[in-house]
Amino acid sequence: MNQEDYQKTKDSFSEYLKSKEFTNKSIQTRMTVFNQYLLWADQENLEPEQITYNDLLLYLKYCQGQGLQQRTIKSHIALIKHYYNYLIRERIITLNPTTDINVKGARRKVLYHIMEPHELHQLYHEFPCNSLAEKRNRIMLGLFVYQGLRTEEVGRLEVQHIKLREGKIDVLGGRNSNERLIQLESYQVMDMHDYILQVRPELMKMEPKRRNQQKQETDLLFIGQGGQRYSINNFITQTMISARSINPDLLNAKHIRASVITKWLKLYNLREVQYLAGHRYISSTESYLQNDLEELKEEVQQYHPLG
């Protein structure tokens, strides 16, 4: 590959990564790895477009010889997989040689002890609702428990995203998630109605906690006193502390989301769960199947300890 073709390849692949909504900083990091990959291919007298599965095994050995950790090598292969997907899109090749590459020894996604549906239900229905803040936090908790939202998705919600007449919530997509319209539970609709029409306006009327702060007009769904947003993480932390008094085994909002997605996998097909979870890729949904397998393994060990 001459220098001109080399540069065209890099520029075109960089644009492909932008189309996948990687950040500029992330693209720079990945392009550094890509440059190293092209350099390795050149040293081995290999054309990148003609590299095979066996060639990639040699690349893995090269990476190991450079002292790279398995986790780093796995990220390199993921980037190279993007490259060959790009070549397939451009109709330069028809098969991705990374398809059967499996880097063993890389750290697995953290597995959670999955909460049962009745435990999730209990979190919501036993959550204290004495103050305005607690009523707000309970609504927030419900979106974790029944819709499996990410914390950043909860933070982006505005009042207009709640479709009370339809009993649904419009969840905006982000860099790592897809937009979706999800059904609210019937009791959530009533509680959300009270929050939007009564609790939230009361919070808006209150004076901000800090004297140097002014009241703010905002469309955000979850606010503090005087319309102050503070940090959504503060609200979520308060919520998790209260929820933990109901179920001490609760870890965090990710724990709830993992439990919800695992529950969905028992009720719906993979594509339906992918939509509900907002996953960009089906592989992200499939990774939660591991939680279900671990639960089955625990049951086998519990009832058949010698098996």
Side-chain angles (χ1 to χ4, degrees), residues 185-226:
E185 298 291 339
S186 57
Y187 34 84
Q188 275 185 290
V189 175
M190 296 301 297
D191 292 342
M192 186 71 78
H193 177 274
D194 291 341
Y195 172 73
I196 291 175
L197 296 184
Q198 297 178 26
V199 176
R200 189 178 178 280
E202 287 299 318
L203 285 170
M204 190 71 77
K205 290 177 186 177
M206 296 174 70
E207 291 296 325
K209 284 187 175 182
R210 299 175 185 173
R211 293 182 180 179
N212 61 339
Q213 290 179 329
Q214 301 294 321
K215 290 185 178 181
Q216 293 183 354
E217 289 295 329
T218 178
D219 292 326
L220 288 171
L221 182 62
F222 297 112
I223 59 172
Q225 293 179 195

Side-chain angles (χ1 to χ4, degrees), residues 115-300:
M115 288 186 285
E116 295 294 330
H118 74 270
E119 293 178 287
L120 294 170
H121 197 66
Q122 181 184 35
L123 287 178
Y124 183 77
H125 286 278
E126 294 187 11
F127 195 88
C129 287
N130 300 313
S131 66
L132 294 176
E134 286 177 338
K135 291 177 181 178
R136 174 200 63 208
N137 294 347
R138 182 172 184 257
I139 295 296
M140 188 182 300
L141 178 67
L143 298 177
F144 293 129
V145 166
Y146 296 112
Q147 285 72 43
L149 298 195
R150 294 180 170 91
T151 54
E152 60 269 24
E153 291 171 334
V154 170
R156 289 196 299 265
L157 284 174
E158 297 182 358
V159 175
Q160 62 182 350
H161 297 143
I162 308 300
K163 316 295 183 184
L164 287 175
R165 288 184 180 276
E166 301 171 42
K168 296 181 179 180
I169 179 171
D170 191 5
V171 183
L172 297 180
R175 185 170 68 87
N176 298 314
S177 61
N178 287 334
E179 182 177 358
R180 63 256 193 220
L181 190 65
I182 312 181
Q183 191 77 39
L184 293 168
E185 298 291 339
S186 57
Y187 34 84
Q188 275 185 290
V189 175
M190 296 301 297
D191 292 342
M192 186 71 78
H193 177 274
D194 291 341
Y195 172 73
I196 291 175
L197 296 184
Q198 297 178 26
V199 176
R200 189 178 178 280
E202 287 299 318
L203 285 170
M204 190 71 77
K205 290 177 186 177
M206 296 174 70
E207 291 296 325
K209 284 187 175 182
R210 299 175 185 173
R211 293 182 180 179
N212 61 339
Q213 290 179 329
Q214 301 294 321
K215 290 185 178 181
Q216 293 183 354
E217 289 295 329
T218 178
D219 292 326
L220 288 171
L221 182 62
F222 297 112
I223 59 172
Q225 293 179 195
Q228 292 291 327
R229 184 169 186 254
Y230 308 118
S231 166
I232 189 67
N233 290 329
N234 289 342
F235 298 158
I236 292 171
T237 298
Q238 294 170 15
T239 302
M240 291 302 128
I241 290 173
S242 296
R244 219 167 279 131
S245 67
I246 301 167
N247 187 338
D249 293 330
L250 172 64
L251 299 177
N252 49 36
K254 288 183 179 180
H255 185 188
I256 296 176
R257 177 172 163 82
S259 299
V260 172
I261 294 176
T262 304
K263 178 189 74 173
W264 284 339
L265 284 167
K266 296 176 181 177
L267 300 174
Y268 313 112
N269 65 47
L270 269 176
R271 288 297 178 185
E272 289 173 315
V273 177
Q274 180 186 9
Y275 175 80
L276 290 171
H279 288 150
R280 286 283 175 87
Y281 307 105
I282 194 69
S283 58
S284 298
T285 312
E286 289 173 331
S287 68
Y288 285 87
L289 288 169
Q290 185 66 35
N291 278 313
D292 202 17
L293 290 174
E294 290 296 317
E295 287 295 294
L296 179 60
K297 194 182 298 181
E298 285 183 12
E299 287 184 16
V300 170

